[in-house]
Structures are given as C-alpha cells and as structure tokens.
C-alpha cells in the first residue's frame, strides 16, 4: 500500500516539480490544491495520509490551514 499525498501550493511549477519527484517513488500523489481552503476541501474528500503544505498561499495561509487540519483531521500528517 502506498502513501497518499496531497500537495498544497499556489505555484504550479512547484507542484509539478514535487509531483515528478514523488512519482519516482512508491508514493501516490492524489491531488494538488492552490489555496488553504481548497486543501481542506481535498482532505475532507480524498483523505490523504500526508499533506505537503506551503506556508504562503492565498486565502487561508499554511499556518491557518495547519491549525484547522490538526483540529479536524488529527490523523493526517502534515509537512
């Protein structure tokens, strides 16, 4: 069973780079989110094992998003 990863970053180039590196491993990238709110929506819908979370994003920044993730999805790991 592979680890399911969500990438939360507002820069498409960063997402593409991280995704290409992770695809070389047994990790499964299940999606990406350009904002904190969209990341939260994706976590609710897709239940990733890990969220790779950018600190600076539009709307909810990474710190606000992390606080909500800790409260609502404590089993989800965040990097």
């Amino acid at each position: 069973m592979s680890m399911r990863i969500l990438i939360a970053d507002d820069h498409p180039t960063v997402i593409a780079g991280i995704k290409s590196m992770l695809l070389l491993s047994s990790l499964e990238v299940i999606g990406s989110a350009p904002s904190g709110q969209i990341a939260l929506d994706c976590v609710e819908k897709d239940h990733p094992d890990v969220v790779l979370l950018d600190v600076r994003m539009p709307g909810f920044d990474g710190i606000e998003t992390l606080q909500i993730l800790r409260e609502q999805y404590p089993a989800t790991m965040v990097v």
Side-chain angles (χ1 to χ4, degrees), residues 10-67:
D10 59 324
H11 295 94
T13 304
V14 172
I15 292 171
I18 293 171
K19 187 174 183 177
S20 68
M21 288 188 314
L22 293 176
L23 291 176
L24 297 174
S25 68
S26 63
L27 303 173
E28 177 186 0
V29 177
I30 62 167
S32 62
S35 72
Q37 182 60 57
I38 294 172
L40 294 170
D41 294 343
C42 290
V43 170
E44 181 179 351
K45 179 180 151 242
D46 298 324
H47 307 286
D49 299 308
V50 177
V51 176
L52 296 179
L53 183 61
D54 186 17
V55 173
R56 294 185 182 140
M57 292 187 296
F60 293 142
D61 67 17
I63 302 302
E64 292 170 309
T65 303
L66 175 61
Q67 291 170 340

